[in-house]
């Protein structure tokens, strides 16, 4: 996989004095991907190649103008800044996280409705609003959506979005440099305060104290307060009881992991935003394969779009399978065949002996096929090894099983079944 990325990149300029190398990626997707995943690898290889201790790397895309020798700010920085300016609205609000870019399903409809209600009558209903749920399920998106919506309807509303860890840092900075009055002034007069990942103020007693006062004075003045967290208020360890009970005094609502259908809808929406079309088979495949979070789902989609655009292929089921199998294998190298077989057997109410038996009863052979498929997806074992493990079957039997399962994955109910087995495997491993 790494080679694919390397090949796509060309050298634009080497600035020996600054020890900086300018590389060009064929498009924005590839650039973003390289920036987040491969910078250290590039640095390692290039510094060896160029025989210097450390090299700084700057990526740009093909349509970025070449930086001239005098320019102190490389061209790539300008584009990055321009792009940031596009998406950043006021007070740290990301303009692309809106209600209309959020897909609503059973897993998030309550949180969504509450968030909308808050924007219609800030400070009047559900105060504070407390949204909790696992990582990557859309909490931050909803907080920004509230901010964007309130801003759009009234430009004069003063609004702050802040993550709790930055809030803590701000506070520490304020005490260190004797700027507490500025800190207090900043938060005292807002109409809407959105604090993301409030769990990060746990065990920070002094920050909690300051936060408690801000909370009370805003609350008493009927200002809207919105919080997100990875768990519900009473479960927040390291947060003072009086603060926990304040946090849960309004509306507490959670977001769960989305259903396969919601995941498909999210994928289609994201694909639209990137101006690519996603066929149903690819969307269902991704939705059933990626279980952990919407963020991971989005990551896989971007990965596939990037590989497609890099290699000039269209986005097909085959390509999606190839890309995902590679990433999943890397993440899941520690899952064993034994464990997978146990989870599959348990799911179908069978024993290990059933799975390994000669038996050709339909429900047993179906379970066996799913087992083979999952072993191929989740481990590095060869077809031979998988066949051997499951009752000395030869590799062509395994191959056949895998392709049958892939065929059936087009059915939503079957895809959901396989993904729930996979979830069990991951949870218990
Ligand atoms: P959290 O804050 O809960 O960890 P985020 O709000 O950062 O999760 O969401 C992670 C990514 O998934 C973001 O890019 C967000 O836009 C996207 N996302 C999550 N839920 C949805 C949804 N229901 N519809 C559209 N995009 C979503
Ligand atoms: Mg978040």
């Amino acid at each position: 996989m790494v080679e694919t990325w390397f090949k796509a990149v060309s050298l634009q300029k080497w600035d020996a004095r600054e020890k900086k190398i300018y590389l060009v990626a064929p498009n924005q997707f590839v650039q973003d991907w390289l920036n987040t995943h491969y910078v250290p690898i590039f640095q390692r290889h290039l510094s060896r190649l160029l025989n210097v201790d450390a090299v700084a790397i700057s990526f740009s895309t093909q349509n970025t103008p070449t930086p001239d020798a005098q320019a102190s700010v490389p061209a790539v920085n300008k584009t990055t800044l321009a792009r940031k300016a596009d998406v950043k609205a006021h007070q740290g609000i990301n303009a692309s996280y809106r209600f209309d870019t959020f897909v609503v399903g059973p897993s998030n409809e309550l949180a969504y409705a509450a968030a909308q209600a808050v924007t219609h009558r800030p400070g009047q209903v559900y105060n504070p609003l407390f949204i909790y749920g696992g990582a990557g399920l859309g909490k931050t998106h909803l907080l920004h959506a509230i901010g964007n919506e309130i801003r759009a309807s009234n430009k004069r509303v003063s609004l702050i979005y802040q993550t709790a860890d930055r809030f803590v840092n701000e506070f520490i900075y304020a005490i260190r440099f004797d700027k507490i009055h500025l800190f207090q002034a900043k938060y005292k007069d807002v109409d809407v305060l959105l604090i993301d990942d409030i769990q990060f103020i746990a065990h920070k007693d002094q920050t909690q104290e300051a936060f408690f006062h801000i909370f009370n004075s805003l609350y008493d003045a009927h200002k809207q307060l919105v919080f997100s967290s990875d768990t519900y208020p009473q479960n927040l360890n390291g947060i003072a009881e009086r603060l926990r009970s304040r946090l849960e005094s309004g509306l507490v609502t959670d977001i769960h992991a989305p259903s396969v259908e919601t995941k498909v809808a999210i994928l289609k929406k994201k694909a639209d935003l990137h101006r690519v079309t996603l066929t149903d088979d690819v969307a269902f495949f991704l939705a059933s394969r990626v279980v952990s979070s919407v963020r991971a789902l989005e990551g896989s989609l971007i990965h596939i779009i990037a590989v497609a655009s890099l290699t000039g292929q269209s986005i097909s089921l085959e390509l999606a399978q190839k890309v995902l199998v590679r990433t999943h294998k890397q993440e899941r190298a520690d899952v064993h065949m034994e464990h997978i077989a146990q989870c599959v057997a348990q799911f179908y109410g069978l024993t290990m002996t059933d799975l390994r038996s000669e038996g050709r009863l339909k429900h047993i052979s179906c379970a066996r096929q799913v087992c083979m498929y999952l072993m191929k997806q989740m481990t590095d074992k060869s077809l031979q090894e998988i066949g051997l493990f499951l009752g000395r079957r030869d590799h062509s039997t395994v191959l056949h099983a895998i392709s049958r399962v892939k065929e059936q994955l087009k059915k939503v109910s079957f895809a959901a079944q396989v993904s729930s087995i996979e979830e069990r495997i991951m949870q218990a491993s």
Side-chain angles (χ1 to χ4, degrees):
M1 185 45 75
V2 178
E3 310 92 83
T4 325
W5 300 110
F6 269 82
K7 277 190 211 135
V9 171
S10 54
L11 174 69
Q12 187 178 28
K13 181 171 169 281
W14 161 237
D15 183 335
R17 201 163 43 102
E18 299 272 324
K19 297 215 177 85
K20 185 159 191 165
I21 198 154
Y22 294 86
L23 300 174
V24 184
N27 56 44
Q28 191 67 47
F29 280 122
V30 177
Q31 181 187 328
D32 291 346
W33 187 262
L34 292 169
N35 259 325
T36 43
H37 293 84
Y38 288 124
V39 168
I41 298 183
F42 271 94
Q43 278 171 330
R44 206 165 53 235
H45 286 278
L46 289 171
S47 55
R48 199 181 317 142
L49 208 67
L50 296 163
N51 205 14
V52 290
D53 307 336
V55 334
I57 293 192
S58 169
F59 280 113
S60 60
T61 51
Q62 252 146 20
N63 22 22
T64 318
T66 320
D68 64 64
Q70 268 79 48
S72 55
V73 183
V76 64
N77 280 357
K78 285 182 201 153
T79 33
T80 322
L81 289 177
R83 253 170 24 93
K84 283 213 173 111
D86 266 0
V87 294
K88 288 283 175 202
H90 296 277
Q91 280 88 13
I93 299 282
N94 182 333
S96 61
Y97 286 170
R98 298 185 308 267
F99 285 120
D100 66 335
T101 55
F102 191 83
V103 174
V104 186
S107 57
N108 58 30
E109 60 190 352
L110 288 180
Y112 178 86
Q116 281 215 316
V118 153
T119 63
H120 295 144
R121 295 167 63 205
Q124 310 284 313
V125 286
Y126 311 145
N127 203 19
L129 172 62
F130 189 99
I131 301 174
Y132 73 92
L137 295 182
K139 302 181 296 293
T140 296
H141 190 133
L142 279 183
L143 257 57
H144 284 268
I146 293 173
N148 277 311
E149 187 73 23
I150 292 181
R151 280 244 137 244
S153 56
N154 186 349
K155 291 265 174 295
R156 285 196 309 271
V157 173
S158 73
L159 180 151
I160 293 181
Y161 165 88
Q162 186 66 294
T163 60
D165 57 339
R166 275 196 264 130
F167 183 87
V168 171
N169 286 337
E170 253 184 324
F171 180 71
I172 293 172
Y173 179 89
I175 29 179
R176 188 167 151 217
F177 295 103
D178 215 3
K179 298 265 190 296
I180 275 292
H181 56 290
L182 288 181
F183 177 82
Q184 281 161 344
K186 173 178 173 183
Y187 288 97
K188 200 177 69 145
D189 290 327
V190 294
D191 300 311
V192 179
L193 178 61
L194 310 159
I195 304 265
D196 209 353
D197 292 317
I198 191 74
Q199 73 272 10
F200 288 128
I201 64 167
H203 305 293
K204 312 278 180 350
D205 297 345
Q206 213 184 336
T207 311
Q208 282 182 36
E209 181 78 28
F211 175 72
F212 186 71
H213 291 297
I214 291 169
F215 182 108
N216 287 339
S217 77
L218 292 177
Y219 181 83
D220 291 343
H222 303 286
K223 307 300 191 185
Q224 181 67 49
L225 298 152
V226 183
F227 304 106
S228 85
S229 160
D230 62 350
T231 178
Y232 61 94
Q234 278 310 327
N235 218 13
L236 284 166
N237 295 323
I239 293 193
E241 171 53 34
R242 59 175 189 167
L243 192 50
R244 270 188 277 160
S245 57
R246 289 285 195 294
L247 290 173
E248 67 174 0
S249 63
L251 182 76
V252 176
T253 176
D254 64 343
I255 303 187
H256 313 275
S259 62
V260 173
E261 293 86 340
T262 305
K263 285 195 263 186
V264 168
I266 291 174
L267 282 167
K268 295 224 164 183
K269 185 142 213 158
K270 301 277 176 189
D272 276 352
L273 291 175
H274 294 302
R275 293 180 215 294
V276 303
T277 338
L278 211 57
T279 51
D280 285 345
D281 56 349
V282 177
F284 275 110
F285 171 72
L286 280 180
S288 61
R289 297 287 293 123
V290 180
V291 292
S292 44
S293 75
V294 178
R295 186 177 292 121
L297 195 66
E298 208 177 343
S300 313
L301 176 67
I302 302 284
H303 193 171
I304 289 163
I305 296 176
V307 173
S309 73
L310 259 176
T311 54
Q313 301 176 63
S314 58
I315 301 176
S316 63
L317 181 60
E318 203 192 349
L319 179 76
Q321 282 167 340
K322 247 193 264 166
V323 171
L324 273 211
V325 163
R326 280 176 190 267
T327 32
H328 277 250
K329 260 193 205 147
Q330 282 155 10
E331 284 164 17
R332 299 171 173 198
D334 53 342
V335 178
H336 301 298
M337 290 202 287
E338 180 93 27
H339 175 63
I340 295 176
Q342 266 160 0
C343 292
V344 172
Q346 199 182 17
F347 183 87
Y348 289 105
L350 302 172
T351 62
M352 286 283 267
T353 320
D354 291 334
L355 280 186
R356 296 173 132 157
S357 69
E358 293 287 302
R360 294 193 178 278
L361 284 173
K362 190 152 179 272
H363 72 285
I364 297 183
S365 56
C366 172
R368 193 181 295 125
Q369 287 176 345
V370 169
C371 191
M372 290 173 174
Y373 169 81
L374 289 173
M375 285 174 170
K376 189 67 198 155
Q377 299 291 323
M378 301 176 89
T379 71
D380 274 327
K381 301 294 178 191
S382 66
L383 298 173
Q384 273 93 344
E385 287 168 303
I386 294 172
L388 201 63
F389 184 90
L390 287 168
R392 298 183 175 278
R393 290 173 157 81
D394 66 14
H395 81 279
S396 64
T397 310
V398 181
L399 197 59
H400 172 73
I402 293 170
S403 66
R404 266 203 54 90
V405 171
K406 280 185 183 164
E407 190 57 36
Q408 286 171 277
L409 279 176
K410 290 176 189 163
K411 280 187 290 179
V412 186
S413 59
F414 186 76
Q417 204 177 77
V418 173
S419 88
S420 91
I421 299 175
E422 202 178 0
E423 235 163 301
R424 288 175 187 216
I425 295 171
M426 290 311 290
Q427 270 163 14
S429 67

